[in-house]
Amino acid sequence: MPDMIDLAQAQQEILDAFRIKARKPAAPEATGFCLNCAEPLPNGRRWCSPECRDDWERTDAILRAQGL
């Protein structure tokens, strides 16, 4: 029969697995160009508009789901 420490460890491992799965992937770094349409941008920006950001996120989610 497992003791309390074993049960706590098992519970912690389950919680860690959920946290890792729920964590949002890190966004790519700014390149000086919109990551979606390649429009030149000032330093530090990744997308030229909210629409480009949303489009990039949708495409990225599809590629991640396909394992690419």
Side-chain angles (χ1 to χ4, degrees), residues 2-63:
D3 63 7
M4 290 180 66
I5 294 173
D6 292 333
L7 293 173
Q9 178 66 32
Q11 184 179 18
Q12 186 63 46
E13 289 173 4
I14 291 169
L15 289 172
D16 289 344
F18 278 117
R19 285 186 189 112
I20 289 170
K21 191 171 186 175
R23 183 176 45 191
K24 191 172 184 177
E29 293 184 27
T31 63
F33 297 92
C34 177
L35 298 175
N36 191 55
C37 71
E39 178 80 21
L41 296 173
N43 289 338
R45 293 192 58 196
R46 295 176 288 180
W47 297 281
C48 63
S49 68
E51 293 80 16
C52 268
R53 180 200 59 221
D54 294 345
D55 189 39
W56 183 90
E57 288 176 347
R58 278 190 297 274
T59 302
D60 185 60
I62 291 168
L63 293 174

